[in-house]
Amino acid sequence: MSLQVEKLEKNMAKLTIEATAEEFEKAVQKAYQKNKSRINLPGFRKGKAPRVMIEKMYGKGVFYEDAANELIPEAYGKALEECDLDIVSRPEIDVTQIEAGKPFIFTATVALKPEVTLGDYKGVEVTARPVEVTDDEVQAEIDKEREKNSRVTDVDDRGVEKGDLIKLDFDGSVDGEPFEGGKAENYDLTVGSGSFIPGFEDQLIGAKIGQELDVNVTFPEDYHAENLRGKAAVFKCKVNEIKVKELPEADDEFAQEVSDFDTLEEYKADIRKNLTERKEREAKNAKETEVVAKIVENAEMDIPEPMVNGQVTNMLQDFARRMQSQGLTMEQYFQFTGMDEAKVREQMRPEALKRIQNSLVLEAVAKAENIEISDERVDEEIAKMAEAYKMEVDKLKELMGDYEKEQMKKDLALQAAVDLVTEAAKEV
C-alpha cells in the first residue's frame, strides 16, 4: 500500500491511497468466495460456478463493489497509522481506479483539526453577578411547599370565587354556529388561572352549582385559530362542582411536617442557604460561559465544514436516543412537529459550531498553560463515579477502556482550563 497526502484549503486534506494489484485480486477472490453460494449459473450446481464463468456471464466487475468495500476500510486504517494527521471527520471516499491487473486507487477527503491562535485569555472582563436572596424568594419557596401540602374540599354554600377549582360544562358559538373545540363537559378549570379567553373566567365569579349562564367574550386578534380571530362568541355555561384549595399555615408545625427543623425560622434559614448555594452555582456557570465566549471571540481558527457536520450528527444521534427513551421515534417527532432531519440539523448547527470552538480554544489554553492530568487525578474521578453509581472502584475500572480514560483526562484538562481563565477574569 502507498499513500500520498495533499493539503487543501480550510483545513482539509486529500489522501490518495493505492493498494497493489495483488491486494486487489485477493479482495476480488474473497468477494467471489463470499457471494458464490448465492449465484445460479446454468450447467452448474448452486454455489459451484467458477469465478471466470460468473465474470463472463455478469461482467468482469461483478465482484468489484464488494472487493472495494473489503479493501477500503483496511487500506484507510493503514493510511491513518502511516500519516501524521489529526483527522476530525469521516472520510469522503472516491474510487479513482478499479481494474483487473492494476493497483486499486481511491482518495479519502478528510477534515483536519484546526490550529488555534489564542488571543487574550487571562483577565478578560465579565459581568459581575452578586448573589442575593430576598425574603420574597424565601417566601415563594415556602408557598410552593404549602401548595404541595394543600387539601381540596367541596364547596356548596356559595358561588364561584377566584382561585376555586371548578368543573364546567360549556358550549360556545359564533353567530349562532358552534365551532371546533368550543364544547366540553366537566372541564377542570382553576378560576383566575387565565387558561381561557380574556374575560371568560371573570364572568364565572358568583355562579353557583347547577346555575346556567351565558359568557360573552371576543377572541383575541392573535388567537391560534385564524377563523375565530376577533370574533364575538357566546358560551353557554353550567358550573357542576366547586372546590377550594386550602393551604396549611406557615408556622412551626408546618415546618416540622415538611422538614427536619423544629421551627419555621430554622426552616426559612435552610431555604435561604439552599437558594444561596443554587444562585452561586448559577452565577459561577454563567461566569464560566461568558469567559469562554470572550476567549473564543479573541481567538482565531478556521473550522472545516465536515467537522461541524460531524458534530451535528453526534448531537442528532444523542437527541434520537433521548426521544427513544421517551418512547418516540424520530419519524414520530418529525410528524408531530412538522420538522424534518434537514431542519433539525440546521437548528443544531450553531450549537455544534459553538461546542467545537469552545473545545478547541480550551485545549489550546490547556496546552499553553501546560495543564496535564495525572493518572492519580483520573483515579480520584473514577472513585467519585463509583460512589455515585454505588459500584466498586475496581469493577468500574474494568468496565472502562483506555479510550474512556483518555477521554476523562481530556475532559478534566478542559475543566481545569475553564477554572484557570474564570479565576483570572475581571468582574465589572
Side-chain angles (χ1 to χ4, degrees), residues 113-257:
K113 187 175 182 178
E115 290 289 332
V116 175
T117 303
L118 288 172
D120 292 335
Y121 64 90
K122 286 184 178 178
V124 297
E125 294 185 349
V126 293
T127 307
R129 294 176 174 85
V131 172
E132 180 187 0
V133 175
T134 66
D135 292 342
D136 287 343
E137 289 172 322
V138 173
Q139 187 59 49
E141 292 298 310
I142 291 174
D143 289 342
K144 285 181 190 176
E145 200 62 38
R146 291 173 67 207
E147 282 280 347
K148 290 180 188 176
N149 289 271
S150 63
R151 63 190 183 95
V152 176
T153 58
D154 290 313
V155 173
D156 56 15
D157 59 349
R158 64 166 174 78
V160 172
E161 294 180 0
K162 192 172 183 178
D164 286 347
L165 312 175
I166 67 171
K167 286 191 179 295
L168 181 71
D169 293 347
F170 60 84
D171 188 358
S173 61
V174 172
D175 296 329
E177 294 294 327
F179 54 87
E180 185 178 353
K183 183 176 182 178
E185 293 181 356
N186 281 328
Y187 185 91
D188 290 314
L189 174 65
T190 300
V191 178
S193 63
S195 304
F196 275 35
I197 306 164
F200 185 101
E201 295 168 33
D202 292 339
Q203 296 178 54
L204 298 175
I205 302 295
K208 294 185 177 180
I209 293 175
Q211 179 181 342
E212 296 182 357
L213 70 155
D214 288 348
V215 171
N216 296 278
V217 293
T218 300
F219 284 97
E221 293 292 344
D222 59 352
Y223 193 66
H224 63 85
E226 191 173 345
N227 62 311
L228 297 176
R229 291 175 184 172
K231 297 288 182 66
V234 178
F235 286 85
K236 294 188 176 300
C237 299
K238 186 177 79 167
V239 177
N240 297 322
E241 193 176 282
I242 302 174
K243 292 181 181 291
V244 64
K245 185 186 291 185
E246 295 182 351
L247 304 182
E249 289 294 326
D251 53 20
D252 291 346
E253 184 178 349
F254 168 73
Q256 291 164 16
E257 288 179 359

Side-chain angles (χ1 to χ4, degrees), residues 13 32 67 83 87 222 226 229 267 282 301 336 341 372 382 395 427:
Y32 159 68
C83 70
I87 294 171
D222 59 352
E226 191 173 345
R229 291 175 184 172
Y267 180 43
E282 291 171 351
M301 68 199 103
F336 294 153
E341 182 175 333
E372 293 184 1
I382 293 174
K395 184 68 176 176
E427 293 187 343

Side-chain angles (χ1 to χ4, degrees), residues 8 25 74 100 111 121 125 215 217 271 280 297 308 321 371 380 389 408 412:
L8 306 175
E25 170 57 28
E74 182 182 353
Y121 64 90
E125 294 185 349
V215 171
V217 293
I271 291 174
E280 286 173 345
E297 187 180 338
V308 181
R321 282 190 286 269
I371 294 174
E380 288 175 11
Y389 289 117
M408 185 177 288
L412 290 170

